[in-house]
Amino acid sequence: MTERNLFRVEDMTCGHCAKSVKAALADALPGAEVSVDLVSHEVRVAGDAAKAEAAIREAGYTPERIGA
């Protein structure tokens, strides 16, 4: 079963931010299911949590893992 992760990314504030995060996650975890909610600043992603967190950081954002 694929691990599902939830991150809060407070510095993700606009549509461009959301696209950047999604693109970074697509590169790091090809084919992974990703959803971004700008209102709550939450990112849900299936797959390796460490890879997902690193990808979000490399895109220039500060993720905080808040659950699965």
Side-chain angles (χ1 to χ4, degrees):
M1 186 160 101
T2 303
E3 184 180 5
R4 299 195 51 81
N5 306 287
L6 177 62
F7 296 93
R8 183 172 318 281
V9 186
E10 289 294 334
D11 50 355
M12 180 183 66
T13 58
C14 67
H16 179 266
C17 297
K19 284 176 108 174
S20 295
V21 168
K22 281 185 174 181
L25 289 168
D27 286 345
L29 300 166
E33 199 176 313
V34 176
S35 67
V36 174
D37 184 338
L38 279 174
V39 175
S40 65
H41 301 277
E42 290 181 352
V43 176
R44 291 184 188 277
V45 60
D48 184 298
K51 280 187 181 179
E53 184 173 349
I56 296 169
R57 287 188 189 284
E58 286 175 22
Y61 301 92
T62 311
E64 174 190 350
R65 188 163 184 210
I66 57 174

